[in-house]
Amino acid sequence: MSKQPSFFSNVKSDLSSGLVVFLIAVPLCLGIALASGAPLFSGLISGIIGGLIVGSLSGSQLSVSGPAAGLTAVVLTAITKLGAFDVFLLSVFIGGALQLGLGLIKAGTVANYFPSNVIKGMLTAIGLIIILKQIPHAFGYDKDSEGDFTFIQVDGDNSFTALLSGINHIHLGATLITIVSILIILYWSKIPKLNVIPSALVAVITGVLLNMLFLSTGSSLALTPSHLVNLPVADSFQQFVGQFTLPNFGAIANKEVWIVGITIAIVASVETLLNVEATDKLDPLKRHTNPNRELRAQGIGNMVSGLIGGLPITSVIVRSSANINAGARTRMSAITHGLLLLTCAALIPMVLNKIPLATLAAVLLVTGYKLCKISIFKEMFSKGKYQWVPFVVTLVAIVFTDLLIGIALGMAVSVIAILRGNMKSPYYFRKEQYHTGDTIRLELAQEVSFLNKASILLTLDHLPENSSVVIDASNTVYIDHDVLETIREFRDVKAVQKNISVVLTGFKEVYNISNTPSEELDGHHAAARAGHVQVISSGNHEQLLKELELN
């Protein structure tokens, strides 16, 4: 495990990363609120809570939390069904309390069962979606709001037809700002001494100045307010405070409120665990986040968000990946982004409303490209079909449906791939590959689940008569009960019938299966050294195939 940097060990890079994430988060928070049918300020509230509260409590050093694009449909439906936004806020509070409970009972360990090929498929899909969704904004076609990551958009287009619509409505000013911004992001860091200033910040300032130049000269390149960030502006401090909303606890007995709360808890928890797992894979220091601590942090964040008028919060991979690309190393970047959201929303919203969406599209396009580079596809295809098939299925499904459906399909294909892999066994090879008198060694893998049962059963059933087999469990940390029963039955019944000598070694006491006495084991070792030994690994059937074909 990589050494954990201290909270203040990378202040410069973390502050600059927090600034970059803040710039991206503003339109995303507003866009998700708009797509959810909620007040715009509620999106900012959840972004602030995600940065300050969740960022402080989370165990993840690089994950950034905020309003969840994956929950927009749930929120939109729930607000309509419950009839009032303050009643919906009660559901958010309940969902957060349930998440906190899930973290306390350590339900987050389910994250350990997400296959890496599915997670990589998710990351690549998110990168592709970012590119598809940001290209129209890059050309100045801003009909679809930022934060809408669904395939079928609220404006009637989908992720692909929106590209055609964007091409038919190109705004030259926005396109020019996008091109200049991308060039700055790519090459600013290569300029000595000046590279201390974050390239994304330089791009944003340049975009604002360019548009101000266009406006002052009366150029047709000038961007109208519809092409700029649109942050709610309060005329006074009292009006600013008035944008916060309390939940209606009088609806606590409403069954629908609890159903929505449970839905939020489940969807937000799964999405958070997936995004945190993906963030850990992107972490240059390869740190591991405690999923139970993350659920507790998210639960507290959602409870606070529900109490003051915010949307449901999850870890967000778009912001997290942008955070990593900007050079973040600790949680300070996420906290900084939340502090900036609060400060700017309260004090200088008019300044933020001068930022062109085209500039922010440039930042996100670079982020999306880094998530779905060609090298990632080459890597996955080089690992064989049991890796690239679930990867591709996950990618395609997420792009054409949504995150959770895509992950579910990817997981299903991964399980099928595991089952197919575990069905590969010596049953499919000629008996002549074994020789009477041989000592055959079966080395059990570190984790032997019920999925391995079919493979081990077929292997044992097709051992030749009068041979010897050593079943070695020295490297295992877990053996499924059904597999242990299969081994016992083979030793006590089938091996006796076929005059096969069975040696068991390395089995722990907890398995409740006796190892062969040491003196008998020594005799088998001597016989093995004198004759042929066929080594079979239950954990790698592709290698098993190669080993058997050599004999």
Side-chain angles (χ1 to χ4, degrees), residues 4 21 80 104 175 187 381 409 413 472 478 481 501:
Q4 290 273 6
V21 178
T80 303
L104 292 173
T175 306
Y187 296 107
F381 277 89
L409 289 174
V413 172
D472 187 353
Y478 168 77
H481 174 77
S501 174

Side-chain angles (χ1 to χ4, degrees), residues 44-58 64-66 297 301 304 313 331-343:
L44 289 176
I45 292 173
S46 52
I48 293 166
I49 298 301
L52 296 179
I53 304 296
V54 180
S56 299
L57 300 176
S58 170
V64 182
S65 297
V304 175
I313 297 169
R331 288 180 289 126
M332 180 179 283
S333 59
I335 296 172
T336 299
H337 120 276
L339 185 61
L340 287 172
L341 279 173
L342 175 60
T343 303

Side-chain angles (χ1 to χ4, degrees), residues 419-491:
L419 291 171
R420 284 181 59 84
N422 277 274
M423 285 302 294
K424 291 186 175 181
S425 71
Y427 175 82
Y428 300 106
F429 307 110
R430 299 190 308 275
K431 281 189 176 182
E432 287 80 5
Q433 290 174 309
Y434 297 107
H435 305 284
T436 300
D438 281 351
T439 296
I440 301 162
R441 188 176 186 84
L442 176 62
E443 295 179 352
L444 300 181
Q446 189 176 31
E447 298 279 349
V448 186
S449 71
F450 72 95
L451 296 173
N452 298 104
K453 177 182 175 181
S455 173
I456 293 174
L457 178 62
L458 290 171
T459 299
L460 296 176
D461 282 351
H462 289 82
L463 294 177
E465 296 182 358
N466 305 313
S467 60
S468 298
V469 61
V470 177
I471 304 177
D472 187 353
S474 301
N475 297 321
T476 62
V477 294
Y478 168 77
I479 304 178
D480 183 77
H481 174 77
D482 288 350
V483 174
L484 290 171
E485 285 299 314
T486 297
I487 293 172
R488 288 193 190 95
E489 182 184 5
F490 174 77
R491 179 194 62 186

Side-chain angles (χ1 to χ4, degrees), residues 197-352:
I197 306 173
S199 59
L201 176 60
V202 177
V204 168
I205 293 174
T206 303
V208 171
L209 293 177
L210 278 175
N211 191 46
M212 289 177 66
L213 176 63
F214 298 154
L215 288 169
S216 64
T217 59
S219 171
S220 61
L221 298 177
L223 302 178
T224 60
S226 63
H227 299 297
L228 307 175
V229 170
N230 185 20
L231 196 64
V233 178
D235 295 328
S236 64
F237 180 74
Q238 289 75 15
Q239 190 175 352
F240 172 75
V241 174
Q243 295 181 94
F244 293 86
T245 307
L246 296 174
N248 181 1
F249 282 99
I252 192 70
N254 187 336
K255 181 180 71 172
E256 293 297 331
V257 168
W258 284 89
I259 292 174
V260 172
I262 293 170
T263 302
I264 290 172
I266 294 173
V267 176
S269 297
V270 172
E271 191 163 329
T272 286
L273 293 175
L274 285 166
N275 289 333
V276 168
E277 181 80 8
T279 301
D280 285 350
K281 291 191 179 300
L282 294 175
D283 183 1
L285 301 182
K286 301 303 177 187
R287 291 163 290 188
H288 175 68
T289 299
N290 183 323
N292 297 307
R293 177 176 173 178
E294 188 64 30
L295 283 183
R296 294 194 294 270
Q298 295 287 338
I300 293 172
N302 273 315
M303 290 172 71
V304 175
S305 186
L307 282 174
I308 61 175
L311 297 176
I313 297 169
T314 71
S315 169
V316 184
I317 194 60
V318 176
R319 270 162 266 191
S320 301
S321 56
N323 190 38
I324 294 168
N325 290 334
R329 287 295 180 269
T330 74
R331 288 180 289 126
M332 180 179 283
S333 59
I335 296 172
T336 299
H337 120 276
L339 185 61
L340 287 172
L341 279 173
L342 175 60
T343 303
C344 293
L347 303 178
I348 53 170
M350 292 299 295
V351 174
L352 296 180

Side-chain angles (χ1 to χ4, degrees), residues 28-39:
L28 290 181
C29 289
L30 297 173
I32 290 170
L34 181 63
S36 301

